[in-house]
């Protein structure tokens, strides 16, 4: 068992034996390293519950802990904080255990999870908002997998709503003579469609603009949406053709970002399940008429805010964003039967998910045993604090942003890297810069993307971590050439021990991040770990150290930190360049 978790168990048992009603003990790295290495802050609350003086209670527990074999010094500070210094041989033993294959991470009990992330809208250009869903979702998926869950990632394309009708109408107005608009059309795709992905970039904004001022245009787009949702040959084929163009482009961008979906399903795939789901809902008397539309009531007596009913079928007989999400759950429940479903979407969509979750439990589309979780994220803004714009004020596409970061990155790479390699390395670092920055704050907070700050090789940034990883790798390579054994035998000073203490906290950081569904604790940890390591590296000459035991221990320490870097960078879906 992981060393820190083992200590938490031990302290918990001691507390229970001493009549403290504790459920969970959390040991955290000390905020006052001068007083101890790890600390336990729970004693004050526990003493209070028992009506005891907290300092006295903490002193009693500290004296019991002092006699345990893994503890060197335990003291009490302030109102009852317990500070712990571990016995160094215990730490070395644990460090050697971690060096062995497959010991770095402890698996959690298995769970089957569907994660719904990315969620780009077909026929609309990927913008920076989609970076967040893809990036956070991909990392959560990888984190959960590392901790032993079975996770299925589904992109859930936005490919069924009014936006498709708008785009199709705009195309129809531009090219009324296309084969798909003729009555004798009978093909699966539109072979004469003269549209590229470049064209799609402005077709949607133009159509959407028209629909806001031109009532007839909007009405016509709704009608097309209805026809397309009811198997009109021509519109279905046009839709398929637009999908092909749009998906090719999307796949390229996601590949650049190291984002990999297991399922490329979309709202439109819910179509198959909508009729049987609606039959079922009618039989169960769950559907209520409302002003020509049909809805499911989802409000509860205890609601403080008004939760409107879920709009199932609109008055024009098209289905809504809620309906496709409900039918997608129908599909997932019948065909995957997951323990949990996670939705990574903009936090402004929370109400939508409250409606969908409530409706699916109320109607038993989802069993009470299945947990549905909304993982909302904040906005990425420009340095002016406003949503990201291009220099001329347009909406910043994800591709534009990636290009901008790549250009800035390229300038900082060492001159001896040239040609193709230079291009490749700048791309890897640029993606690392972008992703690390995006995962730095708690996912739900808005943040400002400051390229200057996020690409600083000495800051809390992707390039800093990558640089540190590349340097460790070359050190380890030299040591391997000298055939040095990597094994912990002793430590010399505080700088090496501090690194090891950080290493020990890995498991808990990963588990907390999974619990919180946010990567910020992981990026923070990675930064602190590498910072500690760099201090240690700056103060000691590892390869020329004469004490062989120490040299082997330091290399073992380097190896552990390097392995953790690789592991976490893999969770963050960031690649490591050969050099930089
Ligand atoms: N396509 C949606 C949008 O861009 C996000 C999809 C989120 N996932 C879901 N199952 N509704 O707003």
């Amino acid at each position: 068992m992981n060393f820190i978790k083992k200590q938490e168990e031990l302290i918990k048992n001691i507390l229970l034996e001493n009549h403290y009603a504790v459920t969970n003990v959390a040991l955290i790295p000390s905020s006052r390293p001068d007083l101890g290495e790890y600390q336990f802050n729970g004693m004050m609350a526990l003493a209070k519950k028992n009506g005891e003086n907290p300092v006295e209670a903490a002193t009693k527990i500290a004296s019991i802990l002092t006699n345990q074999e893994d503890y060197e010094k335990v003291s009490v500070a302030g109102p009852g904080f317990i500070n712990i210094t571990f016995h160094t041989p215990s730490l070395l033993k644990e460090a050697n255990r971690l060096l062995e294959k497959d010991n770095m991470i402890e698996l959690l009990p298995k769970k089957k999870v569907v994660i719904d992330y990315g969620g780009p809208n077909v026929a609309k250009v990927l913008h920076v908002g989609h970076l967040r869903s893809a990036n956070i979702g991909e990392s959560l998926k990888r984190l959960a997998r590392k901790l032993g869950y079975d996770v299925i990632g589904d992109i859930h394309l936005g490919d069924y709503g009014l936006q498709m009708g708008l785009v199709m109408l705009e195309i129809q107005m531009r090219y009324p003579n296309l084969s798909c608009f003729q009555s004798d059309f009978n093909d699966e795709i539109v072979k004469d469609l003269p549209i590229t992905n470049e064209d799609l970039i402005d077709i949607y904004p133009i159509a959407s603009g028209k629909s806001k001022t031109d009532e007839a245009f909007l009405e016509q787009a709704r009608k097309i949406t209805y026809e397309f949702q009811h198997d009109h040959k021509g519109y279905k084929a046009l839709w398929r053709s637009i999908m092909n163009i749009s998906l090719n482009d999307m796949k390229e961008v996601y590949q650049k970002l190291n984002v990999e979906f297991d399922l490329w399903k979309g709202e439109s795939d819910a179509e198959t399940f909508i009729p049987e789901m609606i039959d079922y809902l009618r039989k169960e008397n769950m559907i209520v008429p409302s002003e020509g539309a049909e809805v499911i009531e989802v409000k509860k007596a205890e609601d403080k805010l008004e939760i409107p009913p879920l709009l199932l079928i609109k008055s024009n007989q098209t289905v809504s964003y809620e309906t496709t999400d409900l039918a997608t759950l129908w599909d997932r429940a019948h065909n995957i039967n997951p323990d949990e479903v996670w939705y990574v979407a903009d936090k402004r969509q929370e109400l939508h998910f409250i409606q969908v979750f409530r409706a699916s439990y109320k109607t038993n589309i989802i069993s009470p045993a299945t947990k549905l979780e909304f993982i909302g994220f904040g906005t990425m803004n420009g340095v002016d604090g406003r949503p990201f714009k291009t220099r001329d004020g347009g909406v910043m596409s994800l591709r534009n942003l990636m290009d901008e970061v790549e250009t800035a990155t390229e300038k900082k790479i060492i001159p001896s890297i040239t040609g193709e390699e230079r291009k490749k390395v700048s791309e890897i670092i640029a993606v690392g810069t972008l992703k690390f920055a995006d995962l730095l704050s708690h996912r739900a907070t808005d943040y400002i993307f400051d390229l200057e700050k996020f690409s600083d090789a000495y800051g809390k940034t992707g390039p800093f971590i990558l640089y540190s990883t590349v340097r460790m790798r070359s050190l380890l390579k030299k040591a391997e050439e000298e055939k040095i054994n990597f094994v912990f035998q002793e430590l010399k000073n505080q700088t090496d021990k501090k690194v090891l203490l950080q290493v020990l906290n890995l498991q808990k950081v990963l588990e907390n991040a999974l619990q919180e569904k946010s990567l910020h604790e992981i990026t923070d940890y990675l930064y602190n770990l590498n910072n500690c390591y760099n201090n240690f590296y700056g103060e000691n000459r590892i390869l020329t150290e004469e004490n062989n035991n120490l040299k082997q221990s330091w290399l073992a320490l380097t190896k552990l930190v390097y392995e953790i870097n690789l592991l976490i960078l893999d969770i963050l879906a960031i690649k490591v360049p050969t050099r930089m």
Side-chain angles (χ1 to χ4, degrees):
M1 192 192 216
N2 171 273
F3 183 79
I4 299 296
K5 284 173 75 174
K6 192 175 101 189
Q7 304 310 326
E8 288 174 341
E9 271 306 298
L10 174 89
I11 297 176
K12 184 174 161 182
N13 288 333
I14 292 175
L15 288 168
L16 289 172
E17 280 162 24
N18 285 276
H19 311 293
Y20 294 102
V22 64
T23 49
N24 180 38
V25 168
L27 277 189
I28 54 173
S30 174
S31 55
R32 288 280 308 272
D34 51 322
L35 298 179
E37 294 163 348
Y38 269 69
Q39 63 189 57
F40 172 55
N41 299 344
M43 227 30 240
M44 282 83 83
L46 291 172
K48 207 168 144 202
K49 260 198 256 164
N50 285 4
E52 296 172 358
N53 173 313
V55 175
E56 276 168 25
T59 309
K60 180 176 72 189
I61 298 300
S63 74
I64 299 175
L65 279 176
T66 312
N67 295 324
Q68 304 290 323
E69 67 159 323
D70 292 336
Y71 294 71
E72 192 173 291
K73 196 179 122 219
V74 185
S75 63
V76 175
F81 296 108
I82 297 183
N83 292 305
I84 295 163
T85 300
F86 293 116
H87 192 44
T88 304
S90 298
L91 297 183
L92 293 173
K93 193 169 145 211
E94 170 67 1
N96 279 324
R97 189 187 73 85
L98 291 176
L99 272 178
E100 277 163 40
K101 200 175 171 302
D102 297 332
N103 279 356
M104 190 76 94
I105 290 189
E106 231 167 78
L107 301 188
L108 301 176
K110 256 205 185 325
K111 260 185 200 172
K112 197 201 258 182
V113 176
V114 171
I115 177 166
D116 179 314
Y117 70 112
N121 296 320
V122 174
K124 288 196 205 169
V125 172
L126 286 174
H127 58 75
V128 296
H130 292 114
L131 167 72
R132 299 222 70 198
S133 181
N135 194 28
I136 297 168
E138 180 71 21
S139 296
L140 287 177
K141 179 190 79 179
R142 291 175 181 227
L143 170 64
R145 279 188 184 156
K146 290 263 190 256
L147 289 170
Y149 289 8
D150 276 334
V151 192
I152 302 168
D154 185 353
I155 186 168
H156 200 75
L157 298 163
D159 59 359
Y160 203 60
L162 179 64
Q163 99 257 17
M164 300 305 302
L166 286 166
V167 168
M168 288 195 260
L169 175 55
E170 180 63 25
I171 294 176
Q172 186 163 11
M173 294 184 73
R174 290 187 192 187
Y175 310 102
N177 297 327
L178 280 184
S179 58
C180 58
F181 303 128
Q182 313 312 317
S183 56
D184 60 349
F185 181 81
N186 195 18
D187 241 334
E188 290 302 297
I189 56 162
V190 187
K191 296 194 180 109
D192 53 346
L193 185 66
I195 300 267
T196 63
N197 193 57
E198 297 300 299
D199 302 319
L200 283 179
I201 294 180
D202 50 53
I203 289 184
Y204 175 76
I206 290 173
S208 156
K210 285 186 189 169
S211 74
K212 290 190 178 109
T213 51
D214 183 345
E215 187 58 37
F217 186 89
L218 178 62
E219 215 22 70
Q220 183 65 15
R222 287 200 178 118
K223 214 172 130 225
I224 293 178
T225 310
Y226 171 87
E227 289 183 347
F228 142 72
Q229 290 187 359
H230 290 81
D231 282 330
H232 180 286
K233 265 239 138 183
Y235 290 124
K236 256 303 194 255
L238 179 55
W239 171 83
R240 241 176 250 120
S241 299
I242 295 172
M243 287 282 279
N244 286 340
I245 299 168
S246 197
L247 286 187
N248 277 336
D249 181 65
M250 274 178 195
K251 287 192 172 158
E252 228 179 88
V253 176
Y254 285 125
Q255 194 183 4
K256 263 187 167 225
L257 288 170
N258 311 319
V259 173
E260 298 153 3
F261 299 99
D262 304 299
L263 300 176
W264 280 79
K265 290 194 162 196
E267 294 166 358
S268 66
D269 287 288
E271 190 175 63
T272 329
F273 306 98
I274 290 174
E276 53 182 295
M277 178 180 83
I278 289 182
D279 277 352
Y280 163 82
L281 293 172
R282 285 203 202 290
K283 255 188 233 122
E284 299 286 312
N285 279 326
M286 290 289 176
I287 308 182
V288 192
S290 166
E291 298 168 27
E294 296 189 276
V295 304
I296 301 176
E297 286 292 349
V298 291
K299 64 168 184 266
K300 291 183 179 170
E302 67 269 23
D303 288 342
K304 292 206 178 67
L305 286 173
E306 160 106 19
I307 306 291
L310 178 143
L311 179 58
L312 193 66
I313 305 170
K314 299 184 193 174
S315 55
N316 68 357
Q317 299 305 304
T318 57
V319 296
S320 70
Y321 180 41
E322 287 74 44
T323 321
T324 51
D325 259 325
L326 208 54
T328 302
L329 272 175
W330 176 280
D331 174 19
R332 288 172 180 160
H334 283 84
N335 298 314
I336 302 179
N337 190 21
D339 298 302
E340 299 190 5
V341 185
W342 303 344
Y343 294 86
V344 186
D346 191 307
K347 67 181 175 193
R348 288 167 293 190
Q349 292 201 19
E350 187 172 13
L351 178 61
H352 164 79
F353 286 102
I354 292 179
Q355 292 177 303
V356 172
F357 293 177
R358 284 189 182 182
S360 55
Y361 286 123
K362 177 177 174 181
T363 58
N364 274 318
I365 286 176
I366 284 297
S367 95
T370 306
K371 185 173 164 203
L372 303 176
E373 187 171 359
F374 172 57
I375 302 169
F377 55 80
T379 311
M380 166 175 159
N381 291 320
V383 249
D384 58 358
R386 323 261 320 251
F388 235 86
K389 292 270 185 282
T390 54
R391 274 194 200 100
D392 47 23
V395 176
M396 176 78 97
S397 77
L398 188 45
R399 253 183 212 278
N400 274 341
L401 177 67
M402 287 165 74
D403 288 346
E404 209 163 280
V405 181
E406 213 172 301
T407 310
T409 305
E410 195 268 336
K411 297 193 182 106
K412 296 187 180 175
I413 298 173
I414 48 171
S416 60
I417 304 180
T418 55
E420 262 310 295
E421 189 190 1
R422 195 167 182 84
K423 171 112 198 48
K424 213 164 173 130
V425 171
S426 8
E427 189 179 314
I428 292 177
I429 301 172
V431 169
T433 304
L434 205 54
K435 300 188 95 178
F436 194 86
D438 190 58
L439 300 171
L440 206 50
S441 338
H442 187 283
R443 60 174 158 77
T445 46
D446 298 344
Y447 76 97
I448 290 179
F449 187 80
D450 180 344
L451 183 51
E452 192 73 34
K453 181 171 141 200
F454 292 141
S455 59
D456 178 1
Y458 300 97
K460 196 171 181 178
T461 65
F464 169 72
I465 303 294
L466 290 177
Y467 185 73
S468 161
T469 311
V470 168
R471 198 173 60 183
M472 277 180 233
R473 186 174 53 204
S474 82
L475 173 63
L476 289 169
K477 211 171 133 212
K478 278 186 206 137
E480 266 157 23
E481 279 160 12
E482 287 181 32
K483 303 217 165 11
I484 303 170
N485 272 338
F486 298 159
V487 53
F488 285 95
Q489 299 170 78
E490 60 184 81
L491 295 174
K492 183 182 176 191
N493 45 33
Q494 282 308 310
T495 57
D496 50 12
K497 195 166 186 201
K498 265 191 192 147
V499 181
L500 184 53
L501 289 167
Q502 288 279 341
V503 166
L504 297 184
N505 206 26
L506 172 72
Q507 178 77 18
K508 285 201 52 197
V509 169
L510 298 182
E511 288 183 20
N512 289 348
L514 185 64
Q515 174 78 26
E516 184 64 26
K517 306 287 184 321
S518 175
L519 279 301
H520 71 286
E521 204 177 322
I522 292 185
T523 44
D524 201 48
Y525 170 78
L526 192 58
Y527 174 71
N528 288 334
L529 174 68
N530 280 272
N531 230 352
C532 278
Y533 180 82
N534 288 346
N535 287 342
F536 152 73
Y537 182 88
E539 278 184 29
N540 301 289
R541 296 284 155 265
I542 302 176
L543 285 178
T544 51
E545 172 58 45
E546 280 167 12
N547 174 345
N548 212 32
N549 287 349
L550 204 50
K551 184 169 170 181
Q552 293 186 353
S553 306
W554 282 349
L555 284 162
L557 186 63
T558 306
K559 172 100 174 142
L560 274 188
V561 176
Y562 176 68
E563 293 292 337
I564 293 178
N565 276 15
L566 293 190
L567 181 124
I568 294 184
L569 288 170
D570 187 38
I571 291 174
L572 306 181
I574 294 175
K575 291 188 179 155
V576 184
T578 39
R579 47 196 192 128
M580 61 191 279

